[in-house]
Amino acid sequence: MKTIISCAITGAIHTPSLSPYLPVTPDEIAEQSIDAAKAGASIIHLHARQPNDGKPTNDTKIFREFLTKINSESDAILNISTGVALGMTLDERLAAVKEFQPELCSLNMGSINFNVARAAKADVKWKHDWEKEHLAKSEDIVFRNTFKDIDYIIKTVSDFGTKFEYECYDVGHLYNLAHFAEHGIIKPPFFIQFIFGVMGGIGADEQAFNVMKQTADKLFGNNYHFSVLGAGRHQFLIAELSLKAGGNVRVGLEDNLYLDKGVLARSNAEQVAKVKQIALDLGREIANPDETRQILDLKGKDKTKITLS
Ligand code: KMH
Ligand code: ZN
């Protein structure tokens, strides 16, 4: 099976002062997405930010600006977050997916205390008032994804034919996913993102990888495809484990600002190029967007509502 590379372009975790290369405006997000696709990513995972200060937003006008631009210049699969940002209501989180009905959207498979408070202690000059507080307060926020919330997102989104990137931060989340599968609420093939190294979830090492993989094999047999995401410095180590085991990978500045120890990535495309080379060196081939659509059984770009108005 060919390798699917996903790239998560900007997210809602990192803040602009942590890296000058984090894309913030719609033009920056579009440009880095197009370049990441050219570098080998077939899936582009997207959040939006306010252009003036980089604060995460669910504003669909801002989403429209970059979604249409990426769509006109790239054939990549656009994947819109339903996590959006800590502290938003479920309906706020679903606004963009409802409006644009993309081929893919994220679905977070459990509640966690997604703690990035350590980053508030970074030795940087903060450009915007909101940044430090945004990071610091995460140690006391539950990223809420109850069974009822998950069910609500599935019911809302399934009418659009949008499929999911199932975000699993710990082993229990795989069992949560199995619950929805067993009740026929979701249908295979399941595209599962194993997430390692987010504080509040499982750690990022080989043993953790094996636990997630073995548990998913037990629960989903041949009915799933896995990808991995290692947060921060764990990104490429975890990617390599997945590639060796026949899996897929997600990189991007959403989850890691660096290319190497102490070296900031100057773009998302740099990280895509690096992971693509690791994959090629391991003898893996890279899936293009249409091959990825086939593997994940996606509805196709023409069936989304990503239009100019
Ligand atoms: N940043 C990832 C660890 C979402 O957008 O719904 C999780 C994520 C969630 O990408
Ligand atoms: Zn995300």
Side-chain angles (χ1 to χ4, degrees):
M1 185 81 69
K2 290 193 178 180
T3 306
I4 299 168
I5 301 178
S6 295
C7 186
I9 301 296
T10 188
I13 302 153
H14 292 126
T15 71
S17 301
L18 297 174
S19 169
Y21 308 112
L22 184 72
V24 165
T25 66
D27 279 350
E28 288 167 354
I29 292 172
E31 188 187 332
Q32 287 218 25
S33 299
I34 293 160
D35 288 348
K38 282 185 191 150
S42 56
I43 298 176
I44 303 292
H45 170 109
L46 290 153
H47 295 241
R49 293 179 183 269
Q50 294 177 173
N52 59 329
D53 63 1
K55 197 169 183 183
T57 178
N58 71 339
D59 186 337
T60 55
K61 283 195 219 66
I62 293 175
F63 267 98
R64 188 183 301 281
E65 280 190 53
F66 59 74
L67 290 173
T68 50
K69 215 168 210 164
I70 304 166
N71 238 5
S72 69
E73 290 186 45
S74 155
D75 193 32
I77 295 152
L78 303 190
N79 171 357
I80 298 179
S81 171
T82 65
V84 184
L86 294 178
M88 284 190 190
T89 66
L90 212 50
D91 283 316
E92 286 168 342
R93 285 164 51 180
L94 277 167
V97 169
K98 278 184 175 167
E99 186 153 337
F100 301 109
Q101 305 185 5
E103 291 183 81
L104 267 176
C105 70
S106 67
L107 181 56
N108 293 272
M109 291 312 298
S111 301
I112 67 163
N113 182 183
F114 196 130
N115 183 1
V116 289
R118 266 176 313 184
K121 300 198 174 88
D123 185 19
V124 295
K125 190 164 162 5
W126 300 100
K127 290 188 216 152
H128 306 289
D129 291 346
W130 66 274
E131 296 181 77
K132 200 170 172 184
E133 168 68 6
H134 170 85
L135 297 164
K137 73 182 182 197
S138 66
E139 74 175 348
D140 198 28
I141 294 179
V142 176
F143 178 33
R144 189 192 138 129
N145 298 286
T146 65
F147 283 94
K148 202 170 168 190
D149 292 341
I150 294 168
D151 195 56
Y152 180 73
I153 296 178
I154 293 169
K155 299 268 162 63
T156 306
V157 167
S158 297
D159 286 348
F160 311 146
T162 299
K163 294 266 173 81
F164 298 104
E165 173 197 11
Y166 296 101
E167 314 269 7
C168 293
Y169 300 75
D170 216 326
V171 187
H173 294 178
L174 296 171
Y175 287 88
N176 297 353
L177 181 60
H179 160 81
F180 288 97
E182 277 158 20
H183 287 79
I185 299 166
I186 51 172
K187 300 264 181 297
F190 307 119
F191 181 46
I192 307 180
Q193 194 68 253
F194 299 162
I195 298 173
F196 301 94
V198 167
M199 196 170 180
I202 201 166
D205 54 43
E206 190 160 3
Q207 194 224 357
F209 172 79
N210 289 335
V211 170
M212 291 293 279
K213 169 81 168 59
Q214 285 161 13
T215 306
D217 284 347
K218 178 181 75 179
L219 295 172
F220 307 108
N222 292 325
N223 285 335
Y224 86 106
H225 301 285
F226 74 95
S227 175
V228 301
L229 169 182
R233 66 196 153 87
H234 307 290
Q235 189 176 64
F236 292 103
L237 165 99
I238 290 291
E240 195 169 330
L241 290 173
S242 178
L243 291 166
K244 284 181 177 158
N248 305 292
V249 291
R250 172 172 142 178
V251 293
L253 301 193
E254 169 162 344
D255 302 300
N256 176 31
L257 295 171
Y258 290 83
L259 190 64
D260 236 318
K261 196 166 182 227
V263 181
L264 285 171
R266 282 170 299 157
S267 67
N268 279 276
E270 277 195 344
Q271 289 186 349
V272 173
K274 178 168 171 171
V275 86
K276 179 177 170 181
Q277 193 56 52
I278 296 171
L280 295 175
D281 290 346
L282 288 166
R284 301 291 307 276
E285 286 180 81
I286 310 301
N288 67 31
D290 279 340
E291 289 165 337
T292 298
R293 286 183 174 96
Q294 209 166 9
I295 295 167
L296 302 182
D297 193 23
L298 303 183
K299 65 179 178 176
K301 185 174 168 175
D302 56 324
K303 300 201 173 56
T304 69
K305 293 234 167 356
I306 302 173
T307 53
L308 283 169
S309 58

